[in-house]
Amino acid sequence: MTDVRALYQEVILDHNKNPRNFRVMEDADQFLEGYNPLCGDRYVLYLRMNGETISDVSFTGSGCAISKASASVMSTIVKGRKREEALRLFEQFHDLVTGHNDSHIHPENLGRLAVFAGVSEFPARVKCASLAWHTLKAILQEQKTAVTTE
Amino acid sequence: MSPRADTATMAKPSLDVNRIRSDFPILSRTVHALPLVYLDNAATTQKPESVIDAMSTYYRSVNSNIHRGVHALSEEATEAYENVRELARQFINAASTREIIFVRGTTEGINLVASAFVPTIVQPGDEILITGLEHHSNIVPWQLVCGQTGATLRVVPISDEGEVRIDEFARKLTPRTKLVAIAHVSNALGTVNPMKSMVAHAHERGIPVLIDGAQAVPHIQVDVRDLGADFYAFSAHKMYGPTGVGVLYGKVELLERMTPYQGGGDMIKSVSFERTTYNDLPYKFEAGTPNIAGVIGLGEAIRYLSRLDRAAIEHHEHELLEQCTSMLKEIEGVRLIGTAREKAGVISFVIEGIHPHDIGTILDQQGIAVRTGHHCAQPVMERFGVPATVRASFAIYNTAEEIDRLKTGLLKVREVFG
C-alpha cells in the first residue's frame, strides 16, 4: 500500500485549504475555463500580461484537493515569469506528474512543484493535477475555447 | 455471518454469504496489498465462477453461429442461446419469449424504443415524460428523438429526499404525453420508485411506460406483468452476468407495431433489392450476429440468482444499507444525498470540505472500491447542488465487516484532511 501521504503532502493540503491568488481578477487581459468532466473540477484562470511577462495570475472555481492545490501552487510560481518560461514549466510539470521526469530538470527549477511528484503513482489523478496547467498553456498559446481534459 | 437469535425466531430469510463469496473468484484478490472491498456494484457487479465457466465452455466446445447452420455445433449454440430467452422470460415473468429481445444492455434497449417506437406515436408538440432522477441513458435517447420528431421532453421534479413528486407526475400526464420513461431504481440516489402505481396513473390515460430496470433486477424480484410495464430494459452485467448484453422486454402488441431498429442479417425473412420482409418477433429486432457468449453468460447469471432466495437478497442488502446509513451518520461532516423512504442498496454521500475524488483515492489505497463522480446523472447532482458524490452500492456478497472497513477508510480520510 502506497501511503496516501505521498499524494496528500502537507503543502498540497495547505494550498487546498488556503488557496493562493484565489480571486476574480477584474482587470485580467484574458481568462479561460478549465473543466474536467470526469470529476466535475471546474476553474477559471485569469491572466494579466505585461508584454511577454505574466504580471498577475489568479483563479476561481472548485474541485478536488489535487486540482485546487495545483492551481494555487502554479499561480505562485508563474507570476513574473516570461511566457516561454511558463510554457517550459508546463512541460516539466507534465513530465513530473506522468512519471517521465528525468535528469534534465534542475531540482531548483522544480521547487515547490516537487510536491506533486507523488501524483505519478496515481494515474487516475494526473488530469486533476494538470487541469490548471493545461488551462494556462491554452491561454499562453491564445486558445479561445474552454479547456477540457477529455 | 452468524444469524442472530432474533432474526432466527422471526424466520427472516438469510443468505449464506460466505458460500456466495466463494463463488466469486475476484473477491479473493487484494488491492494495494489489502483484501478487496468491492462497493461499486451499481456500476457493475462481479461475476460468479459459473458465469465465467459457461462463457468459456461455449467458446471452447460449442462456438458457432446461430439460427442458420445445419451442423451440430450451430444447433447446439442456437439451443443454448434460445434457452436463455426462456430463462429471461421466466426471470421477469413475461408472457412470451417473443417479448424478450437481446440487446447490448439497458442503454441500447432504451435507444431501441426511442428509435423504433417513438417516431410511430408522436406528432410535433407531443410530449415524452421522464423524471428528475434519471441516468443519462434515460434522458439523452429521448432528447435525440424529440429533436427528430418535434416532440418535447418533460421532467417530473424530485423532492429534497430524492423521491419523484407523485403530485407533479400526475399533473404532467396530459393528452399530449405519448410515453413515460422512468428508472425503477435510481442509480445515483438508490430511490425505489413506486412503479406499479406510476404505471397505473399513466395507463389510466392510455400512456405506455418504459421502465429502466438496470438497477432494479439485481435487488428486486421483477414481474413485468404485475408492474404493467410496456417496456422494461435491463443489463446482464449489473446482475452478475457479463458486460455487453441485456434484455429489452416489450409487449407483443407494441413490438409488432414498431419498425425495425437496425437492418441486417437475422432480422429478415427474405431480401431482394426491391423489397425486404422482416422476420417475426423477437428476431425482427436482433440484426446481425448477436453476443452469443454474452447471452449464455446472462442465462447462467439468471440461473445463479434463481438458486438464491430473492427475498433473502432484498433482506441482506437492506441490512447493509441500514448499517451503512447509520455508520455514515456518525462520520463528521457527512451529508447523505438521497434519503427516500424506499431505497435499494445504493448510498450516495458527500463530506463537507472534502471532494469525492479525494475520498475515492484514499479509500482505494485501503483496498476499498467506491464510485466517485456524477454517476451519469448530472441533473441529479445539480438538483442537490453538488458536483459529485461518493457512492457505495451493495451486492449479495458484501458483508457487515466490509461496512466496518469503509468506516475505517472514511476515518482515515478525515485524518488526512484534518
Side-chain angles (χ1 to χ4, degrees), chain B residues 283-317:
Chain B
Y283 312 107
K284 180 169 100 176
F285 296 105
E286 292 181 6
T289 297
N291 182 354
I292 304 169
V295 166
I296 285 165
L298 164 64
E300 208 51 47
I302 292 174
R303 284 197 189 93
Y304 186 85
L305 267 177
S306 304
R307 282 196 293 270
L308 300 173
D309 179 339
R310 298 302 303 275
I313 292 176
E314 273 188 57
H315 178 68
H316 173 69
E317 290 173 353

Short mmCIF file of all heavy atoms in Angstrom, two decimals, chain B residues 283-317:
data_model
loop_
_atom_site.label_atom_id
_atom_site.label_comp_id
_atom_site.label_asym_id
_atom_site.label_seq_id
_atom_site.Cartn_x
_atom_site.Cartn_y
_atom_site.Cartn_z
N TYR B 283 -36.99 -11.72 -33.45
CA TYR B 283 -35.81 -11.60 -34.32
C TYR B 283 -35.79 -10.33 -35.16
O TYR B 283 -34.74 -9.89 -35.60
CB TYR B 283 -35.71 -12.85 -35.21
CG TYR B 283 -35.86 -14.12 -34.40
CD1 TYR B 283 -37.02 -14.88 -34.46
CD2 TYR B 283 -34.86 -14.50 -33.50
CE1 TYR B 283 -37.18 -16.01 -33.67
CE2 TYR B 283 -35.02 -15.62 -32.70
CZ TYR B 283 -36.18 -16.38 -32.79
OH TYR B 283 -36.33 -17.47 -31.99
N LYS B 284 -36.98 -9.76 -35.35
CA LYS B 284 -37.08 -8.50 -36.10
C LYS B 284 -36.13 -7.44 -35.53
O LYS B 284 -35.65 -6.56 -36.24
CB LYS B 284 -38.53 -8.01 -36.04
CG LYS B 284 -38.80 -6.71 -36.78
CD LYS B 284 -40.31 -6.46 -36.89
CE LYS B 284 -40.78 -5.47 -35.84
NZ LYS B 284 -42.22 -5.12 -35.97
N PHE B 285 -35.87 -7.54 -34.21
CA PHE B 285 -35.04 -6.52 -33.55
C PHE B 285 -33.62 -7.00 -33.24
O PHE B 285 -32.90 -6.35 -32.50
CB PHE B 285 -35.73 -6.05 -32.26
CG PHE B 285 -37.03 -5.36 -32.52
CD1 PHE B 285 -38.23 -5.98 -32.28
CD2 PHE B 285 -37.04 -4.07 -33.03
CE1 PHE B 285 -39.43 -5.35 -32.53
CE2 PHE B 285 -38.24 -3.41 -33.29
CZ PHE B 285 -39.44 -4.06 -33.04
N GLU B 286 -33.26 -8.16 -33.77
CA GLU B 286 -31.91 -8.67 -33.48
C GLU B 286 -31.10 -8.84 -34.76
O GLU B 286 -30.83 -9.94 -35.23
CB GLU B 286 -32.01 -10.01 -32.71
CG GLU B 286 -32.59 -9.83 -31.31
CD GLU B 286 -32.68 -11.13 -30.51
OE1 GLU B 286 -32.19 -12.17 -30.98
OE2 GLU B 286 -33.24 -11.09 -29.41
N ALA B 287 -30.71 -7.71 -35.33
CA ALA B 287 -29.94 -7.73 -36.58
C ALA B 287 -28.49 -8.11 -36.29
O ALA B 287 -27.91 -7.66 -35.30
CB ALA B 287 -29.99 -6.37 -37.25
N GLY B 288 -27.93 -8.92 -37.15
CA GLY B 288 -26.50 -9.24 -37.03
C GLY B 288 -26.27 -10.37 -36.06
O GLY B 288 -27.15 -10.76 -35.29
N THR B 289 -25.07 -10.94 -36.11
CA THR B 289 -24.71 -11.99 -35.16
C THR B 289 -24.70 -11.39 -33.76
O THR B 289 -24.00 -10.41 -33.51
CB THR B 289 -23.33 -12.59 -35.49
OG1 THR B 289 -23.41 -13.19 -36.78
CG2 THR B 289 -22.92 -13.61 -34.45
N PRO B 290 -25.49 -11.93 -32.87
CA PRO B 290 -25.56 -11.34 -31.53
C PRO B 290 -24.38 -11.75 -30.65
O PRO B 290 -23.51 -12.51 -31.08
CB PRO B 290 -26.86 -11.92 -30.98
CG PRO B 290 -27.00 -13.25 -31.65
CD PRO B 290 -26.38 -13.11 -33.02
N ASN B 291 -24.40 -11.25 -29.43
CA ASN B 291 -23.38 -11.58 -28.43
C ASN B 291 -23.77 -12.93 -27.83
O ASN B 291 -24.34 -13.01 -26.75
CB ASN B 291 -23.37 -10.47 -27.38
CG ASN B 291 -22.32 -10.68 -26.32
OD1 ASN B 291 -21.64 -11.72 -26.29
ND2 ASN B 291 -22.16 -9.71 -25.45
N ILE B 292 -23.45 -14.01 -28.56
CA ILE B 292 -23.93 -15.34 -28.17
C ILE B 292 -23.35 -15.76 -26.81
O ILE B 292 -24.08 -16.18 -25.91
CB ILE B 292 -23.56 -16.38 -29.26
CG1 ILE B 292 -24.13 -15.94 -30.62
CG2 ILE B 292 -24.11 -17.77 -28.88
CD1 ILE B 292 -23.60 -16.74 -31.80
N ALA B 293 -22.04 -15.61 -26.67
CA ALA B 293 -21.42 -15.98 -25.39
C ALA B 293 -21.99 -15.13 -24.26
O ALA B 293 -22.21 -15.62 -23.14
CB ALA B 293 -19.91 -15.80 -25.47
N GLY B 294 -22.25 -13.86 -24.55
CA GLY B 294 -22.81 -12.96 -23.54
C GLY B 294 -24.20 -13.42 -23.11
O GLY B 294 -24.53 -13.42 -21.92
N VAL B 295 -25.02 -13.79 -24.08
CA VAL B 295 -26.37 -14.27 -23.76
C VAL B 295 -26.28 -15.53 -22.91
O VAL B 295 -27.02 -15.70 -21.93
CB VAL B 295 -27.18 -14.50 -25.06
CG1 VAL B 295 -28.44 -15.32 -24.78
CG2 VAL B 295 -27.55 -13.16 -25.69
N ILE B 296 -25.35 -16.40 -23.25
CA ILE B 296 -25.17 -17.64 -22.46
C ILE B 296 -24.71 -17.29 -21.03
O ILE B 296 -25.18 -17.88 -20.05
CB ILE B 296 -24.21 -18.59 -23.19
CG1 ILE B 296 -24.99 -19.21 -24.37
CG2 ILE B 296 -23.64 -19.66 -22.27
CD1 ILE B 296 -24.13 -19.90 -25.41
N GLY B 297 -23.85 -16.29 -20.92
CA GLY B 297 -23.44 -15.81 -19.59
C GLY B 297 -24.62 -15.23 -18.82
O GLY B 297 -24.77 -15.47 -17.61
N LEU B 298 -25.46 -14.48 -19.52
CA LEU B 298 -26.66 -13.93 -18.88
C LEU B 298 -27.55 -15.06 -18.35
O LEU B 298 -28.06 -14.99 -17.23
CB LEU B 298 -27.44 -13.07 -19.88
CG LEU B 298 -28.90 -12.72 -19.51
CD1 LEU B 298 -28.94 -11.86 -18.25
CD2 LEU B 298 -29.60 -12.00 -20.65
N GLY B 299 -27.69 -16.11 -19.17
CA GLY B 299 -28.51 -17.24 -18.75
C GLY B 299 -27.97 -17.85 -17.46
O GLY B 299 -28.73 -18.18 -16.54
N GLU B 300 -26.66 -17.96 -17.38
CA GLU B 300 -26.06 -18.55 -16.19
C GLU B 300 -26.24 -17.64 -14.98
O GLU B 300 -26.45 -18.11 -13.85
CB GLU B 300 -24.56 -18.83 -16.45
CG GLU B 300 -23.99 -19.97 -15.66
CD GLU B 300 -24.79 -21.27 -15.75
OE1 GLU B 300 -25.17 -21.66 -16.88
OE2 GLU B 300 -25.03 -21.87 -14.68
N ALA B 301 -26.19 -16.32 -15.22
CA ALA B 301 -26.41 -15.37 -14.12
C ALA B 301 -27.85 -15.49 -13.61
O ALA B 301 -28.10 -15.41 -12.40
CB ALA B 301 -26.12 -13.94 -14.59
N ILE B 302 -28.79 -15.66 -14.54
CA ILE B 302 -30.19 -15.84 -14.12
C ILE B 302 -30.32 -17.12 -13.30
O ILE B 302 -30.95 -17.13 -12.23
CB ILE B 302 -31.13 -15.88 -15.34
CG1 ILE B 302 -31.17 -14.51 -16.03
CG2 ILE B 302 -32.54 -16.31 -14.93
CD1 ILE B 302 -31.96 -14.47 -17.33
N ARG B 303 -29.67 -18.20 -13.78
CA ARG B 303 -29.72 -19.46 -13.02
C ARG B 303 -29.13 -19.26 -11.62
O ARG B 303 -29.66 -19.75 -10.63
CB ARG B 303 -28.92 -20.56 -13.73
CG ARG B 303 -29.64 -21.13 -14.93
CD ARG B 303 -29.01 -22.48 -15.34
NE ARG B 303 -29.57 -22.91 -16.62
CZ ARG B 303 -29.02 -22.64 -17.80
NH1 ARG B 303 -27.88 -21.97 -17.87
NH2 ARG B 303 -29.60 -23.03 -18.92
N TYR B 304 -28.01 -18.52 -11.57
CA TYR B 304 -27.34 -18.29 -10.28
C TYR B 304 -28.27 -17.56 -9.32
O TYR B 304 -28.47 -17.98 -8.17
CB TYR B 304 -26.04 -17.50 -10.48
CG TYR B 304 -25.25 -17.36 -9.20
CD1 TYR B 304 -24.36 -18.36 -8.79
CD2 TYR B 304 -25.41 -16.24 -8.38
CE1 TYR B 304 -23.66 -18.24 -7.60
CE2 TYR B 304 -24.71 -16.13 -7.19
CZ TYR B 304 -23.84 -17.13 -6.81
OH TYR B 304 -23.15 -17.02 -5.62
N LEU B 305 -28.86 -16.46 -9.80
CA LEU B 305 -29.76 -15.67 -8.94
C LEU B 305 -31.00 -16.48 -8.55
O LEU B 305 -31.49 -16.36 -7.44
CB LEU B 305 -30.21 -14.41 -9.70
CG LEU B 305 -29.39 -13.14 -9.48
CD1 LEU B 305 -29.93 -12.01 -10.35
CD2 LEU B 305 -29.40 -12.71 -8.01
N SER B 306 -31.47 -17.30 -9.49
CA SER B 306 -32.70 -18.05 -9.23
C SER B 306 -32.49 -19.13 -8.18
O SER B 306 -33.45 -19.56 -7.53
CB SER B 306 -33.23 -18.67 -10.53
OG SER B 306 -33.41 -17.65 -11.49
N ARG B 307 -31.25 -19.57 -8.02
CA ARG B 307 -30.97 -20.57 -6.97
C ARG B 307 -30.99 -19.94 -5.58
O ARG B 307 -31.09 -20.64 -4.58
CB ARG B 307 -29.61 -21.24 -7.22
CG ARG B 307 -29.64 -22.30 -8.33
CD ARG B 307 -28.41 -23.18 -8.28
NE ARG B 307 -27.18 -22.48 -8.61
CZ ARG B 307 -26.69 -22.37 -9.85
NH1 ARG B 307 -27.33 -22.90 -10.87
NH2 ARG B 307 -25.57 -21.73 -10.08
N LEU B 308 -30.85 -18.62 -5.53
CA LEU B 308 -30.87 -17.94 -4.23
C LEU B 308 -32.29 -17.52 -3.89
O LEU B 308 -33.14 -17.40 -4.76
CB LEU B 308 -29.96 -16.70 -4.27
CG LEU B 308 -28.48 -16.96 -4.61
CD1 LEU B 308 -27.75 -15.64 -4.80
CD2 LEU B 308 -27.82 -17.78 -3.50
N ASP B 309 -32.51 -17.26 -2.61
CA ASP B 309 -33.82 -16.80 -2.16
C ASP B 309 -33.88 -15.29 -2.41
O ASP B 309 -33.17 -14.52 -1.78
CB ASP B 309 -33.93 -17.13 -0.66
CG ASP B 309 -35.25 -16.68 -0.06
OD1 ASP B 309 -35.90 -15.79 -0.65
OD2 ASP B 309 -35.60 -17.20 1.01
N ARG B 310 -34.74 -14.88 -3.34
CA ARG B 310 -34.76 -13.46 -3.73
C ARG B 310 -35.18 -12.57 -2.56
O ARG B 310 -34.69 -11.44 -2.42
CB ARG B 310 -35.69 -13.23 -4.93
CG ARG B 310 -35.29 -13.96 -6.22
CD ARG B 310 -33.89 -13.60 -6.71
NE ARG B 310 -33.68 -12.19 -6.95
CZ ARG B 310 -33.97 -11.54 -8.09
NH1 ARG B 310 -34.51 -12.20 -9.09
NH2 ARG B 310 -33.73 -10.26 -8.22
N ALA B 311 -36.07 -13.05 -1.71
CA ALA B 311 -36.47 -12.26 -0.54
C ALA B 311 -35.27 -12.09 0.40
O ALA B 311 -35.07 -11.03 1.00
CB ALA B 311 -37.62 -12.93 0.19
N ALA B 312 -34.44 -13.15 0.48
CA ALA B 312 -33.25 -13.07 1.33
C ALA B 312 -32.25 -12.06 0.77
O ALA B 312 -31.56 -11.37 1.54
CB ALA B 312 -32.60 -14.45 1.45
N ILE B 313 -32.16 -11.97 -0.54
CA ILE B 313 -31.27 -10.97 -1.16
C ILE B 313 -31.71 -9.57 -0.77
O ILE B 313 -30.91 -8.75 -0.32
CB ILE B 313 -31.26 -11.13 -2.70
CG1 ILE B 313 -30.60 -12.45 -3.10
CG2 ILE B 313 -30.55 -9.94 -3.35
CD1 ILE B 313 -30.63 -12.73 -4.60
N GLU B 314 -32.99 -9.32 -0.92
CA GLU B 314 -33.52 -7.99 -0.57
C GLU B 314 -33.25 -7.68 0.90
O GLU B 314 -32.83 -6.58 1.25
CB GLU B 314 -35.04 -7.93 -0.82
CG GLU B 314 -35.40 -7.53 -2.23
CD GLU B 314 -36.90 -7.30 -2.40
OE1 GLU B 314 -37.46 -6.46 -1.68
OE2 GLU B 314 -37.50 -7.98 -3.26
N HIS B 315 -33.48 -8.69 1.74
CA HIS B 315 -33.29 -8.50 3.18
C HIS B 315 -31.82 -8.21 3.50
O HIS B 315 -31.49 -7.28 4.24
CB HIS B 315 -33.78 -9.76 3.92
CG HIS B 315 -33.60 -9.69 5.39
ND1 HIS B 315 -34.33 -8.83 6.18
CD2 HIS B 315 -32.78 -10.37 6.23
CE1 HIS B 315 -33.96 -8.97 7.44
NE2 HIS B 315 -33.02 -9.90 7.50
N HIS B 316 -30.93 -9.00 2.92
CA HIS B 316 -29.49 -8.85 3.16
C HIS B 316 -29.02 -7.45 2.73
O HIS B 316 -28.32 -6.75 3.47
CB HIS B 316 -28.74 -9.93 2.39
CG HIS B 316 -27.26 -9.80 2.41
ND1 HIS B 316 -26.51 -9.98 3.55
CD2 HIS B 316 -26.37 -9.47 1.43
CE1 HIS B 316 -25.23 -9.78 3.28
NE2 HIS B 316 -25.12 -9.48 2.00
N GLU B 317 -29.41 -7.05 1.53
CA GLU B 317 -28.94 -5.76 1.02
C GLU B 317 -29.56 -4.61 1.81
O GLU B 317 -28.92 -3.57 2.00
CB GLU B 317 -29.26 -5.65 -0.48
CG GLU B 317 -28.37 -6.60 -1.28
CD GLU B 317 -28.71 -6.70 -2.76
OE1 GLU B 317 -29.74 -6.14 -3.19
OE2 GLU B 317 -27.95 -7.35 -3.48
#
